Amino acid sequence: MLKLEGKTAVITGGNSGIGLAIARRFTEEGAHVFITGRRQAQLDEAVALIGGRVEAIQGDVTCASDLDRLFDTVKANAEKLDILITSSGISEFSTLDSTTEGHFDRAFDLNVRGMVFTVQRAVQHMSSGGAIVLIGSIAGSIGSPGYGTYSATKAAVRSYARTWTSELAGRGIRVNTLSPGPINTPMFDNVSDEVRLSLTSRIPLNRLGQPDEVAAAALFLASADSSYIAGAELCIDGGMTQV
Ligand code: NDP
């Protein structure tokens, strides 16, 4: 039996990397999926690749009117919203000395502010049984030189999951955080072989993760298989922060 038959899901950042892999997996499991992202060409490519019951709505999650349009479209085309995955995010390198206000604002604007107001709108369309999976990062729990701002945004994501679990439990909505370690996505395209090797040497399973491996965990947290799991953080990191 398909795990998400009859369910509707919104996936931000669903046109690339982890979000795309989740969108693909969810449609395979019977969900009606809405993906969003800024780049129309990547949205079109994603829809062609996914091939199932998927609709692309172009938009920027930091823009209130784009978020309104996204959820208005979902409301007009689906009976209800069951699942939200927030995968839109950026990671920019900057040590404390070189950090500018622009760097700080870009990271918090997308990874935190965009995520908060996406969730705020989504819950208006959710009822009991809803599941929210926030894509955090193991970066939120560790300190890596040059990733202070990114790590702080992901620590905020994990923190919100705790509060929202308390706030939304009475409405039957579960919130969990999925925190990947290094995953081979376009976010990694500009990472040098040297950094890849150095990262891999710190991962017990001795390799980068694949987007499909994150998607499998997202399916678990979004489906009834995790019905008694709320406010948790599931790390998909080959053991990097677990040993
Ligand atoms: P990608 O770069 O492949 O995907 C990022 C996604 O975010 C794209 O779909 C992009 O679409 C979307 N996005 C960026 N800005 C906006 C915006 N303003 N509004 C809407 N969508 C936006 O990276 P990943 O798939 O690797 O990253 C996905 C998530 O996973 C991120 O939150 C990241 O922090 C997290 N993560 C990734 C890890 C990794 O190793 N890859 C490790 C840990 C966490 P578009 O550009 O079209 O807007």
Side-chain angles (χ1 to χ4, degrees):
M1 188 185 147
L2 298 178
K3 288 186 186 293
L4 300 181
E5 191 72 60
K7 304 282 186 190
T8 301
V10 166
I11 303 174
T12 72
N15 60 356
S16 179
I18 290 169
L20 173 57
I22 295 173
R24 203 170 172 176
R25 187 69 200 268
F26 280 16
T27 55
E28 285 167 4
E29 290 292 341
H32 181 191
V33 172
F34 293 83
I35 57 172
T36 194
R38 294 162 306 171
R39 294 166 300 163
Q40 187 63 54
Q42 274 68 24
L43 286 166
D44 295 342
E45 270 179 34
V47 167
L49 191 75
I50 293 166
R53 200 169 172 214
V54 61
E55 291 170 51
I57 301 158
Q58 189 277 335
D60 182 333
V61 298
T62 66
C63 171
S65 58
D66 282 7
L67 284 177
D68 287 338
R69 186 167 43 80
L70 166 65
F71 287 103
D72 284 349
T73 309
V74 173
K75 197 177 172 188
N77 290 281
E79 264 174 43
K80 58 183 174 32
L81 177 62
D82 304 286
I83 299 163
L84 171 71
I85 311 286
T86 58
S87 191
S88 298
I90 46 161
S91 166
E92 288 180 352
F93 179 92
S94 180
T95 60
L96 175 62
D97 286 336
S98 58
T99 291
T100 61
E101 291 182 4
H103 161 80
F104 181 93
D105 289 346
R106 276 191 300 280
F108 272 87
D109 202 32
L110 176 58
N111 297 0
V112 184
R113 199 175 68 84
M115 184 269 308
V116 169
F117 291 104
T118 301
V119 174
Q120 186 192 61
R121 282 169 177 77
V123 295
Q124 292 167 13
H125 303 283
M126 279 186 167
S127 51
S128 187
I132 298 172
V133 180
L134 309 177
I135 305 297
S137 170
I138 60 165
S141 309
I142 57 178
S144 306
Y147 288 97
T149 310
Y150 178 68
S151 296
T153 66
K154 293 301 186 176
V157 170
R158 204 273 171 265
S159 173
Y160 272 114
R162 289 193 167 96
T163 305
W164 291 338
T165 293
S166 307
E167 288 185 0
L168 299 172
R171 290 156 64 175
I173 298 171
R174 294 183 299 116
V175 185
N176 287 290
T177 306
L178 192 54
S179 287
I183 308 294
N184 205 3
T185 71
M187 197 177 257
F188 253 78
D189 282 353
N190 297 325
V191 171
S192 68
D193 287 347
E194 190 188 346
V195 171
R196 278 173 189 259
L197 273 176
S198 147
L199 275 171
T200 305
S201 70
R202 291 160 51 202
I203 301 171
L205 295 189
N206 203 34
R207 63 176 176 84
L208 299 189
Q210 295 302 325
D212 285 348
E213 294 176 295
V214 183
L219 174 61
F220 172 65
L221 288 179
S223 72
D225 284 350
S226 61
S227 54
Y228 198 53
I229 300 179
E233 178 175 28
L234 181 53
C235 295
I236 312 298
D237 67 349
M240 188 173 177
T241 57
Q242 309 304 310
V243 296

